[in-house]
Amino acid sequence: MVLAPLAVLVGALAGLVARPGGRRPPRVRAAAVVLGGAALQVAIEVTGVDVPGGLAALAAVALLAGTLANLRLVGAPVVALGLAANLAVLALNGHVPERPPTGGALAEPGTRLGVLGHVVPVPGVDLLVSFGDLVALTGLADVTANAVRARRRRPEPVIDLVALEREAAARAQAMARARPAHDWGTAPRPVPSSGSQYSARPEAAAPVTAMAASRAAAAPSPARPAASQSR
């Protein structure tokens, strides 16, 4: 994991170039476990001291546990996959097998999952890394890029509360000055229901209904006075 700072730098540059994100990055959990495992791993690789396999396994377990606690981070599952590959080969062999500098096959006979050991040379430097390291470094760069991109979130729109209050007050004053009836027009006059509604003599101009006509026909007519006989 000596190349971890380079992966972080590449991820930070990628996050600065990308468009700003819309959400804040989530808080990192178990940060002390991650930092402790990373410090132990870097110390083992930088010093080159032949340490017991249990100490290297402790560093790998701490890194993997801290990564699993932050799987919600974009890129963290990729980091966990690479760390799990390194831990598997370490647990099976007691150490991470390494290819000789001159090339060729692994020196130790009976090595299990030797393809996951330190067999990938880094161009330009005298360094061998594993496939698990490459996967973990790729995920670390992705985590860093998304964290930087999220911190550069888009500016939120500013709401002018003073302007909103002034606009609301102006609308209230306009509604208070409005006349309740004449501002919306006058309702049309109703259509008369009969011809006698506006008549000067409603009893004479009232329409004759069928029921009134039948009652008038059934009523007895008054007796006529007898005509006077001419003398």
Side-chain angles (χ1 to χ4, degrees):
M1 299 296 290
V2 180
L3 299 178
L6 179 60
V8 172
L9 178 60
V10 172
L13 293 177
L16 292 174
V17 173
R19 296 178 59 183
R23 297 187 307 174
R24 293 184 178 181
R27 189 177 63 178
V28 178
R29 299 176 180 177
V33 178
V34 176
L35 294 177
L40 182 58
Q41 183 70 30
V42 171
I44 293 174
E45 295 183 359
V46 170
T47 58
V49 179
D50 188 11
V51 297
L55 191 59
L58 178 61
V61 169
L63 287 174
L64 181 59
T67 304
L68 292 177
N70 296 277
L71 284 181
R72 68 190 187 283
L73 299 177
V74 179
V78 180
V79 178
L81 181 61
L83 295 176
N86 289 340
L87 184 59
V89 68
L90 176 61
L92 290 175
N93 298 282
H95 65 284
V96 179
E98 184 173 339
R99 189 177 65 178
T102 56
L106 296 174
E108 300 87 352
T111 300
R112 290 175 290 183
L113 291 180
V115 69
L116 297 180
H118 292 160
V119 295
V120 182
V122 179
V125 294
D126 186 15
L127 182 64
L128 293 174
V129 296
S130 65
F131 287 105
D133 291 338
L134 295 178
V135 174
L137 291 172
T138 302
L140 180 60
D142 193 13
V143 170
T144 306
N146 283 277
V148 173
R149 179 174 175 269
R151 290 187 179 278
R152 295 173 53 244
R153 58 187 182 276
R154 300 181 183 90
E156 299 179 357
V158 179
I159 301 177
D160 192 351
L161 298 179
V162 177
L164 291 178
E165 292 179 356
R166 291 178 179 175
E167 184 179 357
R171 290 182 179 179
Q173 293 177 2
M175 294 181 63
R177 289 194 301 266
R179 289 176 294 178
H182 299 286
D183 289 346
W184 290 277
T186 305
R189 300 180 63 182
V191 179
S193 58
S194 64
S196 63
Q197 184 174 0
Y198 299 102
S199 175
R201 299 180 58 192
E203 67 282 357
V208 180
T209 61
M211 184 175 294
S214 61
R215 290 180 179 177
S221 59
R224 295 180 180 180
S228 60
Q229 296 180 356
S230 59
R231 296 179 179 179

